[in-house]
């Protein structure tokens, strides 16, 4: 039986080719994902480990928990602590580290790198071992700065050039005193790093006389653990914590692995979808191969082969196919991994250098996935073949499914579908966090149910296309009859396409609805013409708000300033605003009281009011971070949203209690409303700072739209693999169907059907099957998009379902195009059959 199985694989290798390709693509997706993420993770871990070469023990502030009504503060690492660390037995030297956001502009005035990856720090002394100089000398004073070599090369800067940069708002124009090399992961990923001398960095980052970290280097012969023990004895444990360089490197490696894990899991989900779609092709292929070899299998049974041996022979064929697909998929996956790394570079995103990482786990996973998926998908056709009695197989009485089996299938499909719809509907009434599991379970149940019911659904839906098919005469009529001749085969072929279109449509519905809802939120909640913020969404210098308030054409402005407090024994963040202007800049719906902010009067969103049991007129005491307390009165309760929420009070009350006041954003209203001239005026008032964003409502919406568009394009690209696999399934089914119906096609040719009509018949059959899968996929996608939207609507009052009719029509059109393209080769093959040879075939 083993030799028989191998001979069958060799005899039917052409028909198994599409199955091998489908499994190979899925395996390539899996192995490519593993190679790509392992390569990136390894490169960043090695780069990160180099960054800790100069650190034997790191001293960091120990965060103090809040006590009583005081807000917890982080202790400061002073010069005295640094001197004590440097004098600890076993310590060779101690370096004070200062870091903060620093945006560098290119020669064109635009921000270099991504905002969140634009960092700054201090260069220690005249020769800092952390940052070897490539050219120039160490910075001295506020007028000099060092920049990393990658940024200098990318922007075309050299020693002596003047560079525009910003730390928290105001523009600085220091001279580049030198260029250094670094293994910093952010720089390797396309960010930038600027270094000032230590006093300048402390002043710019608001840490005068203090450090963010103290890095201690051990003397020769002193281990990291011994140095840590000595530092623990020498430094006050209540103020600082110590960590060895090895522990820091290990923690960083774990963080990198964790961040890569999210990417890896996301990509593997889409690979799983492609493999899931591939199972339909495998099952279809082996079902049709078994059907074509019914008499052969019956003869084997007649000469003594048992049911198990027949099933085993089919599984051996699947094993061989899976092994071949797994091996070729692994090779293709290595190429995909290397290609993805190169693709990152072409998009401008660089990464640390390193070899391509192919682990034994990747190899074993690729082979296991290919073999297991193929064998499992082939098991049911093999078992079904073994159950056919030899005499029945010889006389082909097994050809049609029994009424009992169809009733059982339809009953199971109805139960699964009903359970799925019920669970999804129940999930829409739950809390967002607790509903995710049930929503996913319901979606899986419904998809399985619809797949089981697809043979039943195929007849009425395909019959609906009959009036259109009549236009094509005999070819159209034959195509319709062929489509419903074997409902199970049609269902398996259409379901492969259905899966991909379900996910694509669902994501499109959700993204479009969210975008519209956010547009409505911005227009309904904000009266301001512009919102000003940092490129990295970090804190703004209060100087920005002062400059904007005095700019020409500004009629009202208000900074939004955050401050921590203790209310009722819990930490609560307050939002400071300009009480006299905030009413002109926002249009929040007030449920009770009035939107009045000033003195002790505050406004609060209804969720926090409910949480604390506050009503209009309620009084409470807020304890600020400096220990002072102030009684506040609720003047109004408003409906908050993701853009504006929380407790708002006047900045005149909040700011005196803040150690380092900083704004998250500034809202501005201009005379005559938003216009290009007004925007240019605000940007010039801020010194044309590349690190500061001046955005109107449309800009904010466009930023969000870019995020959704990027997400959708990624999803489309990743699901494209599943669609390609589905196309292979259509090609495979049609090609094998043509072979199966060779005699029939020969007879049609003999009685007058010309080659062009034969081609048209096969194309129309493919078109009908593809459109059937497209209709099911779009219908399910809309339902899932609506259900997910119902969950989002509980958190977003402005959410409203928006159906993208244009895109859905495009998806249906693409499904039709897929059907036409998939039929090209099978149709050509059918038309070229020799009619006499076909009539004599069995």
């Amino acid at each position: 039986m083993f030799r028989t199985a191998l001979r069958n694989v060799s005899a039917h290798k052409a028909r198994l080719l599409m199955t091998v390709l489908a499994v190979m693509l899925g395996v390539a997706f899996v192995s490519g994902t593993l190679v790509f993420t392992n390569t990136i993770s390894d490169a960043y871990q090695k780069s990160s480990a180099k960054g800790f070469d100069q650190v034997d023990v790191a001293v960091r502030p120990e965060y103090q928990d809040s006590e009583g009504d005081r807000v917890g503060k982080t202790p400061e690492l002073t010069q005295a602590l640094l001197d004590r660390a440097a004098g600890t037995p076993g310590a060779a030297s101690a370096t004070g580290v200062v870091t903060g956001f620093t945006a560098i502009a290119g020669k064109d005035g635009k921000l270099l790198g991504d905002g969140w990856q634009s960092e700054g720090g201090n260069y220690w002394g005249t020769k800092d071992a952390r940052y070897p100089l490539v050219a120039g000398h160490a910075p001295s004073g506020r007028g000099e700065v060092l920049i990393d070599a990658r940024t200098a090369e990318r922007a075309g800067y050299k020693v002596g050039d003047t560079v525009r940069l910003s730390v928290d708002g105001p523009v600085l124009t220091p001279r580049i005193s030198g260029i250094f090399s670094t293994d910093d992961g952010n720089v390797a990923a396309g960010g930038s790093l600027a270094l000032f001398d230590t006093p300048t960095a402390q002043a710019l980052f608001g840490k005068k006389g203090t450090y963010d970290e103290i890095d201690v280097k051990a003397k020769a012969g002193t281990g990291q653990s011994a140095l840590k023990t000595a530092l623990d004895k020498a430094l006050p444990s209540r103020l600082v914590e110590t960590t060895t360089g090895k522990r820091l490197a290990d923690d960083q490696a774990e963080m990198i692995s964790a961040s890569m894990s999210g990417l890896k899991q996301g990509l593997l989900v889409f690979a799983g979808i492609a493999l899931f779609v591939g199972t339909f092709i495998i099952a279809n292929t082996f079902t049709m191969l078994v059907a074509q070899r019914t008499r052969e299998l019956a003869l084997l049974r007649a000469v003594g082969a048992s049911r198990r041996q027949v099933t085993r022979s089919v599984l051996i064929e699947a094993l061989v196919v899976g092994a071949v697909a797994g091996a070729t998929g692994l090779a293709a996956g290595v190429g995909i991994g290397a290609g993805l790394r190169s693709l990152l570079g072409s998009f401008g995103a660089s990464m640390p250098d390193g070899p391509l990482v192919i682990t034994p786990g990747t190899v074993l996973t690729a082979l296991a996935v290919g073999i297991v998926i193929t064998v499992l998908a082939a098991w049911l056709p093999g078992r079904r073949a073994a159950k056919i009695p030899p005499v029945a197989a010889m006389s082909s009485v097994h050809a049609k499914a029994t009424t009992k089996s169809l009733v059982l299938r339809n009953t199971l499909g109805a139960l699964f579908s009903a359970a799925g719809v019920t669970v999804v509907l129940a999930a829409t009434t739950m809390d967002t966090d607790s509903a995710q599991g049930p929503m996913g379970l319901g979606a899986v149940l419904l998809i399985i149910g619809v797949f089981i019911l697809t043979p039943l659904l195929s007849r009425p839906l395909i019959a609906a296309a009959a009036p259109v098919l009549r236009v094509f005469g005999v070819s159209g009529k034959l195509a319709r009859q062929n489509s419903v001749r074997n409902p199970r085969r049609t269902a398996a072929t259409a379901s492969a396409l259905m899966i991909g279109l379900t996910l694509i449509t669902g994501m499109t519905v959700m993204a479009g609805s969210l975008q519209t809802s956010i547009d409505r939120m911005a227009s309904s909640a904000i009266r301001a013409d512009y919102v000003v913020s940092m490129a990295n969404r970090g804190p703004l210098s209060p100087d920005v708000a002062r400059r904007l308030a005095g700019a020409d054409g500004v009629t009202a402005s208000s900074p939004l300033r955050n401050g921590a407090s203790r209310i009722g024994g819990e930490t609560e963040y307050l939002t400071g605003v300009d009480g006299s202007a905030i009413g002109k800049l926002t249009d929040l719906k007030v449920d009770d009281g009035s939107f009045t902010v000033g003195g002790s009067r505050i406004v609060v969103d209804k969720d926090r009011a409910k949480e604390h049991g506050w009503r209009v007129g309620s009084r409470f005491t807020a304890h600020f971070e400096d220990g002072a307390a102030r009684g506040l009165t609720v003047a109004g309760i408003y409906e908050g949203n993701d853009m504006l929420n929380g407790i708002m009070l006047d900045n005149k009350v909040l700011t005196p209690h803040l150690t380092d006041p900083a704004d998250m954003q500034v809202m501005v209203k201009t005379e005559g409303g938003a216009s290009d001239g007004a925007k240019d005026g605000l940007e010039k008032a801020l010194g044309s700072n590349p690190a500061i964003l001046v955005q109107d409502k449309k800009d904010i919406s466009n930023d969000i739209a870019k995020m959704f568009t990027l997400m959708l394009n990624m999803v489309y690209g990743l699901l494209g693999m599943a669609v390609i696999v589905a196309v292979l399934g259509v090609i495979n089914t049609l090609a094998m169907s043509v072979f199966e119906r060779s005699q029939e096609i020969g007879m049609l040719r003999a009685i007058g059907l010309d080659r062009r009509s034969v081609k048209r018949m096969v194309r129309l059959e493919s078109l009908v099957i593809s459109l059937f899968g497209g209709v099911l996929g779009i219908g399910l996608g809309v339902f899932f998009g609506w259900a997910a939207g119902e969950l989002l609507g509980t958190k977003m009052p402005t959410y409203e379902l928006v159906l993208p009719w244009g895109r859905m029509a495009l998806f249906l059109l693409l499904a039709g195009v897929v059907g036409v393209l998939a039929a090209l080769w099978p149709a050509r093959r059918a038309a070229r059959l020799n009619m006499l040879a076909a009539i004599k075939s069995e």
Side-chain angles (χ1 to χ4, degrees):
M1 294 303 294
F2 180 75
R3 289 196 298 271
T4 301
L6 294 181
R7 286 171 182 168
N8 281 328
V9 172
S10 177
H12 301 112
K13 53 182 176 291
R15 298 179 218 174
L16 291 168
L17 178 61
M18 294 299 172
T19 300
V20 171
L21 284 175
V23 180
M24 184 199 77
L25 286 174
V27 172
F29 204 156
V30 171
S31 55
T33 295
L34 296 176
V35 170
F36 174 61
T37 53
N38 288 340
T39 298
I40 292 180
S41 180
D42 181 72
Y44 273 110
Q45 285 179 14
K46 288 179 178 177
S47 174
S48 173
K50 290 180 183 177
F52 293 109
D53 286 347
Q54 302 300 319
V55 183
D56 286 318
V57 178
V59 181
R60 293 173 174 173
E62 174 70 32
Y63 182 78
Q64 301 296 301
D65 294 331
S66 302
E67 297 180 3
D69 291 323
R70 292 183 63 85
V71 180
K73 288 188 64 177
T74 303
E76 295 178 336
L77 299 182
T78 62
Q79 184 64 38
L81 281 174
L82 185 142
D83 293 339
R84 193 185 302 183
T88 301
S93 63
T95 302
V97 179
V98 184
T99 58
F101 171 72
T102 303
I104 302 176
K107 291 185 176 180
D108 58 359
K110 295 181 180 179
L111 179 67
L112 289 174
D114 294 326
W116 62 275
Q117 291 178 322
S118 302
E119 293 291 331
N122 67 311
Y123 189 84
W124 190 255
T126 57
K127 190 174 182 181
D128 192 330
R130 299 173 299 167
Y131 308 111
L133 287 175
V134 175
H137 58 82
S140 177
R142 201 178 183 94
E144 291 187 342
V145 68
L146 295 177
I147 63 172
D148 67 90
R150 288 177 186 258
T151 299
E153 181 181 359
R154 189 165 66 246
Y157 282 128
K158 59 183 184 297
V159 175
D161 288 346
T162 298
V163 63
R164 291 168 56 83
L165 54 83
S166 173
V167 171
D168 60 358
V171 177
L172 305 175
T173 55
R175 184 180 65 85
I176 298 175
S177 67
I179 295 172
F180 64 93
S181 62
T182 177
D183 293 314
D184 187 286
N186 281 335
V187 173
S192 62
L193 180 60
L195 300 177
F196 308 90
D197 67 6
T198 299
T200 300
Q202 290 174 322
L204 289 175
F205 300 137
K207 298 158 187 173
K208 193 171 182 178
T210 64
Y211 305 96
D212 294 305
E213 180 177 307
I214 297 172
D215 293 339
V216 185
K217 188 73 176 170
K219 289 181 178 178
T222 302
Q224 292 186 353
S225 297
L227 178 59
K228 180 182 183 302
T229 302
L231 288 168
D232 287 339
K233 293 178 180 178
L235 302 177
S237 59
R238 288 187 65 257
L239 298 180
V240 301
E241 60 178 1
T242 58
T243 311
T244 64
K246 183 179 183 306
R247 179 70 261 174
L248 289 174
D250 291 343
D251 289 345
Q252 188 74 7
E254 288 178 12
M255 287 176 61
I256 293 170
S257 295
S259 63
M260 286 295 106
S261 176
L263 174 63
K264 183 186 297 184
Q265 289 174 7
L267 291 174
L268 288 177
V269 165
F270 288 98
I273 293 168
L275 286 167
F276 181 61
V277 171
T279 59
F280 293 110
I281 300 175
I282 301 165
N284 238 5
T285 301
F286 279 93
T287 298
M288 295 177 75
L289 282 175
V290 167
Q292 292 167 14
R293 289 159 41 205
T294 300
R295 292 189 179 183
E296 175 191 327
L297 294 175
L299 184 60
L300 288 173
R301 290 288 311 283
V303 297
S306 66
R307 287 186 177 183
R308 286 187 178 181
Q309 285 179 313
V310 171
T311 303
R312 200 177 300 136
S313 70
V314 175
L315 295 181
I316 290 171
E317 292 178 41
L319 177 67
V320 173
V321 170
V324 171
T328 53
L330 173 62
V334 172
I336 289 174
L340 286 174
R341 186 170 69 168
S342 300
L343 191 63
L344 282 180
S346 66
F347 285 156
S350 54
M351 57 173 284
D353 295 327
L356 207 62
V357 178
I358 306 169
T359 65
T362 299
V363 176
L364 293 175
T365 300
L367 294 175
V369 166
I371 292 170
V372 171
I373 291 293
T374 310
V375 170
L376 287 178
W379 175 77
L380 190 58
R383 184 171 176 271
R384 193 180 295 151
K387 290 175 68 176
I388 301 171
V391 175
M394 294 284 191
S395 57
S396 299
V397 296
H398 68 287
K400 292 185 179 180
T402 63
T403 303
K404 180 180 177 182
S405 68
L406 291 175
V407 170
L408 178 62
R409 180 182 180 120
N410 293 338
T411 303
L412 281 174
L415 290 174
F416 270 99
S417 299
V421 171
T422 302
V423 173
V424 169
L425 292 177
T428 60
T429 64
M430 299 179 184
D431 179 74
T432 306
D433 296 329
S434 59
Q436 294 177 5
M439 181 73 76
L441 174 63
V444 171
L445 290 174
L446 181 54
I447 289 175
I448 292 174
V450 171
F451 167 65
I452 297 173
L453 284 175
T454 305
L456 179 67
L457 297 172
S458 64
R459 289 187 178 276
L461 289 177
I462 292 175
V468 178
L469 293 175
R470 286 195 192 102
V471 176
F472 299 95
V474 175
S475 296
K477 183 177 180 180
L478 290 171
R480 184 180 67 80
Q481 291 175 347
N482 289 334
S483 301
V484 296
R485 174 187 295 181
N486 192 328
R488 289 184 176 181
R489 185 186 302 166
T490 299
T493 306
S495 295
L497 195 58
M498 178 191 77
I499 300 296
L501 284 179
T502 295
L503 296 170
I504 289 173
T505 305
M507 292 296 296
T508 303
V509 169
M510 283 182 58
S513 299
L514 279 171
Q515 180 61 54
T516 302
S517 304
I518 290 169
D519 289 345
R520 290 178 59 195
M521 182 190 298
S523 61
S524 62
I526 300 176
R527 285 183 185 171
D529 296 315
Y530 295 98
V531 175
V532 180
S533 60
M534 292 295 289
N536 70 332
R537 308 300 175 184
L540 277 165
S541 167
D543 181 60
V544 172
R546 288 192 290 268
R547 290 193 184 192
L548 290 170
D552 293 337
V554 173
T555 58
S557 67
S558 173
L560 272 63
R561 186 169 297 165
N562 283 351
S565 71
R566 297 283 292 179
I567 299 174
E570 296 181 0
T571 300
E572 190 77 65
Y573 284 90
L574 309 174
T575 301
V577 298
D578 186 325
S580 62
I582 193 65
K584 303 173 186 176
L585 301 168
T586 59
D587 192 17
L588 297 166
K589 182 182 177 183
V590 179
D591 290 341
D592 196 10
S594 62
F595 202 84
T596 306
V597 179
S600 63
R601 292 172 297 176
I602 59 101
V603 293
V604 60
D605 69 79
K606 66 179 182 181
D607 289 338
R608 279 181 177 76
K610 183 178 179 180
E611 181 183 340
H612 290 281
W614 293 334
R615 294 177 296 177
V616 172
S618 295
R619 290 182 57 81
F620 61 89
T621 302
H623 298 264
F624 300 103
E625 66 179 43
D626 63 349
R630 173 80 183 253
L632 301 174
T633 304
V634 177
I637 298 174
Y638 67 93
E639 288 190 11
N641 54 51
D642 289 340
M643 302 184 77
L644 293 169
N645 58 55
I647 302 170
M648 294 188 191
L649 74 164
D650 199 301
N651 271 322
K652 293 177 182 176
V653 177
L654 177 64
T655 303
H657 304 291
L658 299 180
T659 306
D660 185 21
D663 302 325
M664 296 310 297
Q665 59 185 30
V666 181
M667 303 176 75
V668 180
K669 194 168 184 63
T670 57
E671 188 176 357
S675 66
D676 291 341
K679 185 175 182 178
D680 289 342
L682 295 178
E683 289 176 343
K684 287 178 181 177
L686 296 173
S688 299
N689 193 327
I692 297 180
L693 299 176
V694 180
Q695 297 179 301
D696 58 19
K697 296 176 189 177
K698 186 177 179 181
D699 292 330
I700 294 172
S701 295
N702 287 342
D703 265 4
I704 297 169
K706 286 179 184 176
M707 179 182 68
F708 284 128
T709 301
L710 177 62
M711 178 186 69
L712 270 182
N713 288 339
M714 288 178 61
V715 170
Y716 291 159
L718 294 170
L719 288 177
M721 183 70 73
V723 174
I724 291 172
V725 173
V727 172
L728 292 176
V730 178
I731 296 172
N732 200 37
T733 300
L734 287 173
M736 296 187 72
S737 178
V738 166
F739 178 84
E740 191 177 76
R741 297 183 344 234
S742 295
Q743 190 177 59
E744 174 189 321
I745 293 171
M747 289 294 294
L748 289 171
R749 289 288 316 283
I751 62 175
L753 198 68
D754 59 16
R755 289 186 174 182
R756 181 178 297 177
S757 298
V758 171
K759 284 183 180 180
R760 188 182 300 126
M761 176 187 71
V762 177
R763 287 171 186 163
L764 289 174
E765 181 182 347
S766 175
L767 179 63
V768 167
I769 293 173
S770 297
L771 289 177
F772 171 52
V775 169
L776 288 180
I778 291 171
L780 284 174
V782 169
F783 176 70
F784 292 140
W786 166 82
E790 288 295 298
L791 280 180
L792 293 172
T794 60
K795 297 288 187 182
M796 188 180 292
T798 57
Y799 184 87
E800 180 183 351
L801 180 67
V802 176
L803 295 181
W805 295 105
R807 289 211 174 189
M808 289 193 296
L810 178 61
F811 295 156
L812 194 60
L813 177 63
L814 288 175
V817 171
V818 163
V820 172
L821 294 177
L824 291 178
W825 178 61
R828 186 168 178 268
R829 182 182 178 193
R832 295 181 65 184
L833 283 175
N834 183 291
M835 69 177 74
L836 294 179
I839 290 172
K840 290 190 295 182
S841 67
E842 293 187 8

